[in-house]
Amino acid sequence: MAELLLLANPTAIRVRSDGTSLDVDFDSIAELRSWLHLAGLDGPDVLVGKEHQGTDSDDRPYRAVSAYPTLYGWKVYAHATDYTDPAPLDSATTDRLAALAVSG
């Protein structure tokens, strides 16, 4: 079971207070889906999940996926979030653009 849990390098694994289920967090939806596939947990007969979109408290748009498979008798609550706004420019690009604006 440990090997299956660690296949996609989750960012966190916690035993829930009931002692029979796990919370597993992933960096991205792609990593969550990859783990589900590699663990054989992506079939419709073994997976119940949901996907939703929204904005966080800073109005940053996101897409989130949750999956609830059962693995060796353990209920798994797996989660991943992808932010859908464009990534900020890196500092080197910002500096070059600022230099162009000043020289223009």
Side-chain angles (χ1 to χ4, degrees):
M1 181 166 150
E3 181 180 6
L4 284 176
L5 285 172
L6 299 175
L7 278 174
N9 193 26
T11 57
I13 300 173
R14 295 171 301 284
V15 176
R16 295 174 66 118
S17 61
D18 63 12
T20 62
S21 58
L22 299 172
D23 277 321
V24 183
D25 296 326
F26 292 88
D27 268 338
S28 70
I29 293 170
E31 287 180 358
L32 169 57
R33 291 183 194 266
S34 174
W35 173 73
L36 291 167
H37 176 74
L38 290 170
L41 299 171
D42 57 345
D45 56 331
V46 294
L47 176 64
V48 175
K50 66 178 185 173
E51 185 171 331
H52 68 275
Q53 297 182 23
T55 55
D56 66 10
S57 60
D58 295 327
D59 289 328
R60 188 173 179 196
Y62 68 87
R63 193 171 109 227
V65 171
S66 298
Y68 312 104
T70 300
L71 182 65
Y72 296 106
W74 286 76
K75 183 73 174 173
V76 177
Y77 296 85
H79 312 280
T81 301
D82 287 343
Y83 288 94
T84 56
D85 58 341
L89 295 175
D90 62 88
S91 60
T93 302
T94 302
D95 291 345
R96 287 193 305 261
L97 288 171
L100 280 172
V102 170
S103 67

